[in-house]
Amino acid sequence: KKKSLILRLPNYGHYWREHAYFSKINQLKIDNHKKNFVQMALGSDYVIHNHFNTTSFETLSLNIPTLIYSPKIICKFNSEATRYLKKLIKVNIFFYSHSDLVKFLKKNNFDLKSWWNQEKVQEVRRDFLKNYCNSLHDWPNEWMTKLSIINKQI
């Protein structure tokens, strides 16, 4: 089955010509932001991000197959973050090279379910989330508890 590719550009008025550039590519749909990002991601087989951002953390937290690409020249991380980044690279969640990301997709015939469900991939994902994302399902209650404690101390 042929898959559709949807590009979601930032939702602001000045695209710096991205819309005109990408609209020339056949078989590439440009998202119109009618659905919120989470709805769109949940309906996807996988999501590719062009840098670490909120949406990449969201798809990792939602356990949606996630690929993140960012050139090494624009990625500067401290030593602890670099340690986690190396783990993400090892399990093919993060790529410095877009050509390596494409090779990975082709190697898996653009079907990432079995790769994503491997225990090592999930272990690295969970470890990364534990350290960089508050992905608790009951986060509102946790926040209310912490805020109540702070309020009592004031």
Side-chain angles (χ1 to χ4, degrees), residues 69 97-104:
Y69 154 74
S97 162
H98 70 278
S99 60
D100 288 344
L101 186 148
V102 171
K103 284 178 195 172
F104 176 74

Side-chain angles (χ1 to χ4, degrees), residues 15-79:
Y15 285 103
W16 216 51
R17 292 183 259 164
E18 291 107 334
H19 195 279
Y21 175 79
F22 288 115
S23 64
K24 293 177 184 176
I25 300 172
N26 290 338
Q27 302 171 353
L28 176 65
K29 297 177 187 176
I30 298 178
D31 178 60
N32 60 12
H33 288 265
K34 295 224 189 260
K35 289 183 180 177
N36 73 38
F37 175 75
V38 172
Q39 287 175 313
M40 190 174 159
L42 287 170
S44 302
D45 292 331
Y46 53 87
V47 178
I48 301 172
H49 303 274
N50 65 348
H51 61 287
F52 273 113
N53 55 16
T54 302
T55 57
S56 63
F57 294 134
E58 285 179 305
T59 58
L60 286 167
S61 293
L62 292 166
N63 203 13
I64 296 167
T66 300
L67 302 173
I68 305 163
Y69 154 74
S70 192
K72 199 171 202 169
I73 195 164
I74 64 170
C75 293
K76 302 291 182 214
F77 300 102
N78 64 31
S79 60

Side-chain angles (χ1 to χ4, degrees), residues 2 14 27 44 84 93 115:
K2 190 173 183 179
H14 57 287
Q27 302 171 353
S44 302
Y84 285 100
I93 291 175
W115 159 76

